[in-house]
Amino acid sequence: MRSDPIETLLATDFAAAAAELENDGFTALVLERLTKAQMTRQALIWIAGGAGALIAGAQFAGMTRLFSPLVAAMDQTPALGAAASNLATNAVAPQLFAAAAIAVAFAATALVLQGER
């Protein structure tokens, strides 16, 4: 059965309109906007993380003083013996405890941010 001329005309017009819509750049524009927003968000997260690291670094000396009594108590504990005594005499233990506390805070933050993806 032969098709009507109107059907042929409509098919041609619809094909031309579809071709125009396929190449209008809408998808590229949307993807570009999403990429820019994601890059801006990541930049803000890095800046906030850097500021947080500066604040945490500024607290390191205070945290070391906070852990000093704990190290002194460990040195007096006979059950811990020579290991605690060596740490206390080298004055390394307060810094290790402070670094461990900061590492735990960073790990907890990483676990929370992992849910963002």
Side-chain angles (χ1 to χ4, degrees):
M1 202 172 151
R2 298 179 65 191
S3 61
D4 289 335
I6 190 72
E7 288 179 11
T8 306
L9 180 64
L10 286 174
T12 306
D13 285 344
F14 285 141
E20 287 178 19
L21 291 177
E22 287 177 4
N23 299 320
D24 69 348
F26 176 76
T27 304
L29 180 66
V30 169
L31 289 175
E32 181 182 337
R33 284 186 183 176
L34 289 173
T35 302
K36 284 182 183 178
Q38 181 68 18
M39 289 176 60
T40 303
R41 181 176 177 271
Q42 286 180 349
L44 290 174
I45 288 174
W46 278 102
I47 290 169
L54 287 174
I55 293 169
Q59 303 300 319
F60 191 76
M63 289 177 70
T64 301
R65 285 192 299 275
L66 177 72
F67 287 116
S68 292
L70 175 66
V71 173
M74 285 175 55
D75 191 29
Q76 301 298 323
T77 305
L80 297 175
S85 179
N86 286 338
L87 285 176
T89 56
N90 293 332
V92 175
Q95 288 87 0
L96 287 176
F97 284 129
I102 290 175
V104 167
F106 285 161
T109 303
L111 287 174
V112 169
L113 289 179
Q114 182 181 8
E116 290 289 316
R117 291 185 180 208

